[in-house]
């Protein structure tokens, strides 16, 4: 884990209640059922970035931003799943956490996650790491620099790089 201890998996407050506070701290249950969310094939985008070599890459979006948005709203979750490449299965996410000042100076408001599928029949995940990027000794998508902010801040679009998720398309 990065950035301290994981938040309590307290499910007594709903995601909407947590978003209303202006800070959305995601817990594992917030990712449950991500395979049923709107999906986008971003394989070509990932290949251009030089990560997920040979993988089929799909991104899942929990909810579309309002039309005309310049940023993704707090509570937005993007899950990126890469399968069939040099690493058999990768599952990463970015969550618009928000905050004032915003969490993460590199990609303002975003928190990064490495997830693992839990074989419970409910499309659940566990959180492997979370924070500003992977912990020392770990990597993101095979990137030797092991960073998330490096590429995501360079792509604009509120740090969401996949072309199908361009804010101008919603």
């Amino acid at each position: 884990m990065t950035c301290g201890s994981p938040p309590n998996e307290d499910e007594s407050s709903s995601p909407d209640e947590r978003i209303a506070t202006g800070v959305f701290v995601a817990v594992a249950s917030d990712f449950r059922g991500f395979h049923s969310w709107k999906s986008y094939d971003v394989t070509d985008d990932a290949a251009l970035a030089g990560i997920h070599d040979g993988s089929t890459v799909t991104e899942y979006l929990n909810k579309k931003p309002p039309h005309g948005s310049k940023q993704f709203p707090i509570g937005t979750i993007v899950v990126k799943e890469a399968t069939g490449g040099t690493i058999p299965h990768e599952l990463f996410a970015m969550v618009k956490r928000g905050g004032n000042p915003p969490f993460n100076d590199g990609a303002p408001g975003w928190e990064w996650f490495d997830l693992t599928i839990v074989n419970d029949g409910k499309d659940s995940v566990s959180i492997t790491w979370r924070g500003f990027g992977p912990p020392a000794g770990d990597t993101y998508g095979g990137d030797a620099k092991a960073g998330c902010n490096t590429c995501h801040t360079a792509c604009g679009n509120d740090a969401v790089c996949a072309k199908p998720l361009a804010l101008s398309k919603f």
Side-chain angles (χ1 to χ4, degrees):
M1 289 288 159
T2 59
C3 307
S5 300
N8 185 356
E9 290 279 341
D10 178 12
E11 298 198 22
S12 62
S13 63
S14 72
D16 289 338
E17 290 170 324
R18 289 181 278 140
I19 289 167
T21 68
V23 178
F24 178 72
V25 180
V27 295
S29 61
D30 293 319
F31 301 96
R32 186 176 297 137
F34 74 90
H35 281 122
S36 67
W37 301 349
K38 176 72 176 157
S39 64
Y40 304 85
D41 182 345
V42 298
T43 302
D44 292 340
D45 294 337
L48 289 173
I51 58 173
H52 311 294
D53 185 35
S55 297
T56 297
V57 184
T58 305
E59 288 195 6
Y60 301 88
L61 181 65
N62 69 328
K63 60 184 172 187
K64 293 180 182 180
H67 178 72
S69 295
K70 301 295 181 203
Q71 296 181 338
F72 287 88
I74 294 171
T76 298
I77 301 174
V78 180
V79 175
K80 178 169 36 178
E81 184 173 41
T83 57
T86 56
I87 299 171
H89 188 247
E90 295 178 297
L91 193 62
F92 296 105
M94 55 192 297
V95 174
K96 192 66 175 260
R97 181 171 170 156
N100 189 14
F103 180 85
N104 190 353
D105 291 336
W110 290 102
E111 184 173 19
W112 311 107
F113 292 80
D114 184 0
L115 305 172
T116 302
I117 295 284
V118 174
N119 292 319
D120 65 354
K122 298 178 184 174
D123 201 16
S124 299
V125 303
S126 64
I127 297 171
T128 305
W129 58 255
R130 66 180 307 145
F132 302 107
D138 204 339
T139 62
Y140 166 72
D143 179 5
K145 296 177 188 172
C148 302
N149 288 337
T150 304
C151 293
H152 282 270
T153 55
C155 67
N157 194 49
D158 193 23
V160 177
C161 297
K163 291 175 186 153
L165 277 73
L167 285 162
S168 61
K169 294 187 177 197
F170 295 103

